[in-house]
Amino acid sequence: MQRDRIRNFSIIAHVDHGKSTLADRLLELTETVAERAMAAQLLDSMELEREKGITIKARAVRMAYTARNGHAYQLNLVDTPGHVDFTYEVSRTLAAVEGALLVVDAGEGIQAQTLANAYMALEQDLTIIPVVNKIDLPVAQPQQVMRELVDVIGFGEDEILFLSAKTGAGVPELLEAIVRRLPAPAGDPAAPLRALLFDSEYDVYKGVLAYVRVVDGGIAGSAPLRLMQRQRKLEPLEIGTFTPELAAGSRLNAGEVGYVATGLKDVAEVRVGDTLTSVARPAARPLPGYTEAKPMVFAGLYPAQSSEYPALKAALEKLRLNDAALHYEPETSAALGFGFRMGFLGLLHMEIVQERLEREYDIELVFTAPSVEYEILASDGCVHRIDNPADLPDPSRIHEVREPWLRLSVITPNSYVGAVMELVIGRRGRFDKMEYIDRDVSAVDAGRQRVLLEFEAPLAEILVDFYDELKSGTQGYASLDYALIDYRAAKLVKLEILVNGEPVDALSSIVHRARADASGRALVQRLRSLIPRQLFDVPLQAAIGGRVIARETVKAARKNVLSKCYGGDVTRKRKLLAKQAEGKRRMKRVGNVEIPQEAFLSVLRLGDSKPRNART
């Protein structure tokens, strides 16, 4: 295919704005997939994607389209996720295309992730086609959404297309706009090979499949290739394209999107963002890549049965082959035994990994409370990073503790501005600015004028239940986007939990000093109702350093040793009671207290106990 007849593009949108449904219509109209093989949300091939109604992993597909001018075009679509946790997937995709379809729901209008994705595409200097979707809905307000796109992002009214991905109305016009308005790929077919790796997955028979966008030159046959940054040589087993199934071919030319079956068995060797070149005629310099996905949420993962540790290790190795963003390393807990310290992109990513491990590998898991990565400035001037509260050094060796801060973008109707501000500021957030999105007079009069609020807040404060409280406080109307800013110093301490006098590292957490006492009291109170009663009293203590700030006791399960005494001398009863007391003291010294999974999860549910006036 001639390069001027190739169009590479992506679909970007907020969650549930119809991105996957639009991809289905494009596949149907271009007859890429046979009618009998067609299914709803075809590119969302994972079971969890269909259950949750979201796209988790980017997918690529090549479509052949004959335009109204009679010319045949090659359309390479790379579908992207919409949830903020998977923004790294979007950034990788946008680096491999020249254009993007920005899809906006005609009923909901611009949301936080809409703006984030649009600005990301503009930073990549992509051509954007704005699309107002779901115009068939009874609540659709396409003209109002059009004005939002004009006022907020700066599109012209004549650039905006209206369609319904569900019914197919307006989709043929969108295909014509793609071939007419999106630019053809640049690059030099005669130059040495340079191909950008924008994704990868693992195939049992073909090894790591590298998703590539060929910029210069071409890939043909089984000629040896080299990864320029990793300096890893490979001999491709197969090259081909996506239809959306793998379709082997003989060559990938400049401007095309396809895959290379590397034969490598470790997905870590094929780093996303690397440049693929030829061994015989290498390129002088690699393509500009992008930063590797950085975990933001960390948690301990342990098998419920210690005998399943080898099975869990094997399952993680297999799962990482298809999820390059997953980070893990072995760790040991005194309470839970052998396990792994896991790094995730966000709580949704953590939930997806947990469900996949339990479903696909049938392993019962115990997750510790999620935490974030902290910077520790030691007294000797060295800076260390920790993601496990148990690794926090002694306070005497710490000069300063820094925590990650985010920039939050919240879009909400103006009637909920007060509730959103109260929620964010109550979690040590700082208000930055407010901007009105709607210009519609009727929306202002009805109290439905939407507002963009920007805050700065600590990541640890919005980690667990912030999104749920945001949705609850705005009756589901608010949308959220966030991005990491920097690390800032704060008065943070390690809250330790002692069970029967022994610290339980898996229940440790790092909290703000102003709310440590309340958090400690709430946690031991919850643990008292969750830990089963033993034959001896079990003290539960919350401590900061060497100072106990809260205590509760799980009372012993009582056994009536006098039940067999039907009379007789009182000294016999005293002897039995003394023997029982001595036995309880001995059991308390050597007894083992089993801590259920609910106890570890209770660390997550401390939101209702937080005082709302803490400041850094």
Side-chain angles (χ1 to χ4, degrees), residues 551-571:
R551 175 187 168 121
E552 294 286 342
T553 302
V554 179
K555 292 296 183 181
R558 298 184 62 84
K559 180 181 179 182
N560 187 5
V561 296
L562 303 180
S563 60
K564 58 186 177 181
C565 297
Y566 295 99
D569 191 4
V570 69
T571 57

Side-chain angles (χ1 to χ4, degrees), residues 573-599:
K573 296 182 180 179
R574 289 175 178 168
K575 189 182 296 183
L576 288 172
L577 291 172
K579 185 178 180 181
Q580 182 190 43
E582 175 58 29
K584 287 183 180 293
R585 281 193 294 270
R586 188 164 57 251
M587 279 192 296
K588 186 174 182 179
R589 289 195 299 270
V590 301
N592 182 30
V593 181
E594 294 292 335
I595 303 176
Q597 163 74 344
E598 290 77 10

Side-chain angles (χ1 to χ4, degrees), residues 2 6 58 61 108-109 126 335 392 457 488 531 536 556 607:
Q2 300 174 6
I6 298 175
V61 60
E108 296 183 358
L126 301 185
L392 190 70
R488 301 179 185 178
I531 293 180
F536 54 91

Side-chain angles (χ1 to χ4, degrees), residues 19-29 38-44 77 165:
K19 182 166 35 63
S20 298
T21 306
L22 177 57
D24 289 346
R25 298 292 83 75
L26 294 176
L27 292 174
E28 283 182 354
L29 285 176
M38 197 64 200
Q41 298 179 344
L42 183 69
L43 296 183
D44 294 341
L77 163 65

Side-chain angles (χ1 to χ4, degrees), residues 301-303 305-314 330-331 337-340:
L301 173 64
Y302 300 85
Q305 305 295 330
S306 57
S307 59
E308 291 188 332
Y309 175 78
L312 175 59
K313 182 179 180 181
E331 77 167 3
F338 293 101
F340 297 91

Side-chain angles (χ1 to χ4, degrees), residues 1-12:
M1 178 68 68
Q2 300 174 6
R3 273 188 306 122
D4 60 351
R5 302 283 175 83
I6 298 175
R7 300 292 184 270
N8 299 321
F9 67 98
S10 175
I11 305 178
I12 54 178

Side-chain angles (χ1 to χ4, degrees), residues 258-313:
Y259 71 90
V260 176
T262 64
L264 302 176
K265 298 301 180 182
D266 186 1
V267 76
E269 295 184 1
V270 185
R271 193 174 72 84
V272 171
D274 207 339
T275 300
L276 201 62
T277 190
S278 171
V279 172
R281 190 185 172 207
R285 61 180 185 277
L287 294 164
Y290 31 84
T291 57
E292 192 173 356
K294 186 177 184 299
M296 298 181 67
V297 177
F298 299 85
L301 173 64
Y302 300 85
Q305 305 295 330
S306 57
S307 59
E308 291 188 332
Y309 175 78
L312 175 59
K313 182 179 180 181

Side-chain angles (χ1 to χ4, degrees), residues 347 403-406 408 419-431 455-471 480 512 515 604-616:
L347 285 181
E403 61 180 341
W405 276 64
L406 304 175
L408 302 179
V420 173
M421 285 192 172
E422 182 181 359
L423 173 64
V424 178
I425 293 175
R427 292 173 180 258
R428 297 193 286 127
R430 298 172 180 171
F431 174 71
F455 301 89
E456 294 179 355
L459 172 58
E461 295 291 336
I462 70 165
L463 191 59
V464 179
D465 56 354
F466 177 82
Y467 187 70
D468 292 337
E469 289 194 21
L470 177 67
K471 285 291 187 181
L480 171 70
H512 195 275
R515 60 185 55 170
L604 306 180
R605 299 188 290 267
L606 291 177
D608 56 348
S609 65
K610 294 177 182 177
R612 295 304 183 191
N613 296 317
R615 289 289 183 272
T616 51

